[in-house]
Amino acid sequence: MSNTNPLEQSVRDRLERYFTDLGDSEPRDMLAMVVNCVERPVLQVALEKSRGNQSKAAEMLGITRSTLRKKLLAHNLQP
């Protein structure tokens, strides 16, 4: 039985697919790409679960409210 987190395994599987799709091309800025792809939906879900309450969403995420606001702006999500 594996101790791998299902979310971690899902990311791993998708990265394998990404490399397959790339073929002979070299990946660039992979970490930034993954962080950007994951961060946006995490922010959206936290806001949905907190019913738009930024203080609660920030607490759920383990970040300050001001950091949350900066991330929302960076991802062009309405505060």
Side-chain angles (χ1 to χ4, degrees), residues 13-30:
D13 294 344
R14 298 312 291 169
L15 285 171
E16 287 298 328
R17 173 72 186 265
Y18 172 73
F19 276 102
T20 299
D21 291 347
L22 273 179
D24 292 334
S25 299
E26 289 290 322
R28 298 273 186 243
D29 298 325
M30 230 175 80

Side-chain angles (χ1 to χ4, degrees), residues 14-66:
R14 298 312 291 169
L15 285 171
E16 287 298 328
R17 173 72 186 265
Y18 172 73
F19 276 102
T20 299
D21 291 347
L22 273 179
D24 292 334
S25 299
E26 289 290 322
R28 298 273 186 243
D29 298 325
M30 230 175 80
L31 182 60
M33 176 194 69
V34 171
V35 168
N36 190 48
C37 288
V38 171
E39 191 172 57
R40 183 180 176 84
V42 168
L43 295 170
Q44 290 171 317
V45 168
L47 283 172
E48 289 168 12
K49 297 298 180 185
S50 68
R51 297 186 180 131
N53 183 314
Q54 291 182 13
S55 295
K56 287 183 181 179
E59 186 176 337
M60 286 171 58
L61 294 167
I63 60 177
T64 65
R65 187 172 173 274
S66 64

